[in-house]
Amino acid sequence: MSEGLREFYVAPYRRTFARAQRDEDDLFRMLVMSEMLGVPNPASYYTAELLPVLYDSFHDWHRRMGMERSPLEEYRCC
Protein backbone atom coordinates (compact mmCIF):
# COMPACT_ATOMS: atom_id res chain seq x y z
CA MET A 1 0.00 0.00 0.00
CA SER A 2 2.72 2.49 0.97
CA GLU A 3 4.70 1.74 -2.22
CA GLY A 4 1.61 2.44 -4.32
CA LEU A 5 0.99 5.74 -2.55
CA ARG A 6 4.61 6.72 -2.93
CA GLU A 7 4.46 6.00 -6.66
CA PHE A 8 1.23 7.99 -6.94
CA TYR A 9 2.74 11.08 -5.34
CA VAL A 10 6.27 10.84 -6.76
CA ALA A 11 5.58 9.82 -10.37
CA PRO A 12 4.45 13.26 -11.63
CA TYR A 13 7.56 14.89 -10.18
CA ARG A 14 10.20 12.30 -11.05
CA ARG A 15 11.79 14.49 -13.73
CA THR A 16 11.79 17.51 -11.41
CA PHE A 17 13.45 15.48 -8.66
CA ALA A 18 16.08 14.18 -11.08
CA ARG A 19 16.85 17.70 -12.32
CA ALA A 20 17.10 19.02 -8.76
CA GLN A 21 19.47 16.17 -7.86
CA ARG A 22 21.61 16.87 -10.92
CA ASP A 23 21.75 20.60 -10.10
CA GLU A 24 22.78 19.80 -6.54
CA ASP A 25 25.47 17.42 -7.80
CA ASP A 26 26.75 20.10 -10.20
CA LEU A 27 27.02 22.62 -7.37
CA PHE A 28 28.86 20.09 -5.22
CA ARG A 29 31.24 19.30 -8.09
CA MET A 30 31.92 23.00 -8.63
CA LEU A 31 32.68 23.50 -4.93
CA VAL A 32 35.07 20.56 -4.88
CA MET A 33 36.84 21.62 -8.07
CA SER A 34 36.76 25.35 -7.35
CA GLU A 35 40.46 25.52 -6.44
CA MET A 36 41.36 23.93 -9.79
CA LEU A 37 39.02 26.35 -11.58
CA GLY A 38 40.73 29.36 -9.97
CA VAL A 39 38.16 30.17 -7.30
CA PRO A 40 39.57 30.41 -3.77
CA ASN A 41 38.13 27.67 -1.58
CA PRO A 42 38.69 27.79 2.18
CA ALA A 43 37.83 24.10 2.45
CA SER A 44 40.21 22.93 -0.28
CA TYR A 45 42.15 20.77 2.18
CA TYR A 46 39.04 18.66 2.78
CA THR A 47 37.67 18.66 -0.75
CA ALA A 48 40.98 17.54 -2.31
CA GLU A 49 40.24 14.01 -1.14
CA LEU A 50 37.08 13.95 -3.27
CA LEU A 51 38.71 14.91 -6.57
CA PRO A 52 39.52 11.33 -7.72
CA VAL A 53 35.88 10.38 -7.22
CA LEU A 54 34.66 13.25 -9.40
CA TYR A 55 37.11 12.82 -12.28
CA ASP A 56 35.05 10.00 -13.80
CA SER A 57 32.05 12.24 -14.44
CA PHE A 58 33.98 15.45 -15.17
CA HIS A 59 33.42 15.27 -18.94
CA ASP A 60 29.63 15.11 -18.59
CA TRP A 61 29.70 17.98 -16.12
CA HIS A 62 31.69 20.43 -18.24
CA ARG A 63 29.60 19.62 -21.31
CA ARG A 64 26.40 20.24 -19.32
CA MET A 65 27.84 23.58 -18.14
CA GLY A 66 28.28 24.63 -21.78
CA MET A 67 32.07 24.25 -22.05
CA GLU A 68 33.17 22.46 -25.20
CA ARG A 69 36.60 21.62 -23.80
CA SER A 70 37.89 20.96 -20.33
CA PRO A 71 38.55 24.22 -18.44
CA LEU A 72 41.44 22.60 -16.60
CA GLU A 73 44.86 22.77 -18.22
CA GLU A 74 46.22 19.76 -16.34
CA TYR A 75 43.20 17.53 -16.94
CA ARG A 76 42.17 16.89 -20.53
CA CYS A 77 39.18 14.62 -21.00
CA CYS A 78 38.23 15.40 -24.60
Side-chain angles (χ1 to χ4, degrees):
M1 177 76 174
S2 65
E3 187 63 34
L5 285 174
R6 184 179 185 284
E7 185 66 26
F8 176 76
Y9 285 111
V10 171
Y13 304 106
R14 190 170 286 134
R15 183 175 293 169
T16 305
F17 290 151
R19 182 177 298 251
Q21 179 67 44
R22 189 178 68 213
D23 290 346
E24 188 175 310
D25 290 344
D26 289 344
L27 176 63
F28 175 73
R29 185 175 326 282
M30 186 190 69
L31 289 174
V32 170
M33 295 187 163
S34 64
E35 189 72 28
M36 294 175 69
L37 294 170
V39 179
N41 182 1
S44 63
Y45 176 75
Y46 300 105
T47 57
E49 296 176 1
L50 299 171
L51 286 174
V53 176
L54 299 177
Y55 280 144
D56 293 337
S57 59
F58 182 75
H59 179 72
D60 295 332
W61 175 76
H62 82 75
R63 297 292 291 183
R64 203 169 39 248
M65 294 296 112
M67 298 177 250
E68 285 190 28
R69 300 196 185 271
S70 172
L72 306 176
E73 293 177 6
E74 63 273 358
Y75 185 71
R76 297 286 177 209
C77 61
C78 20

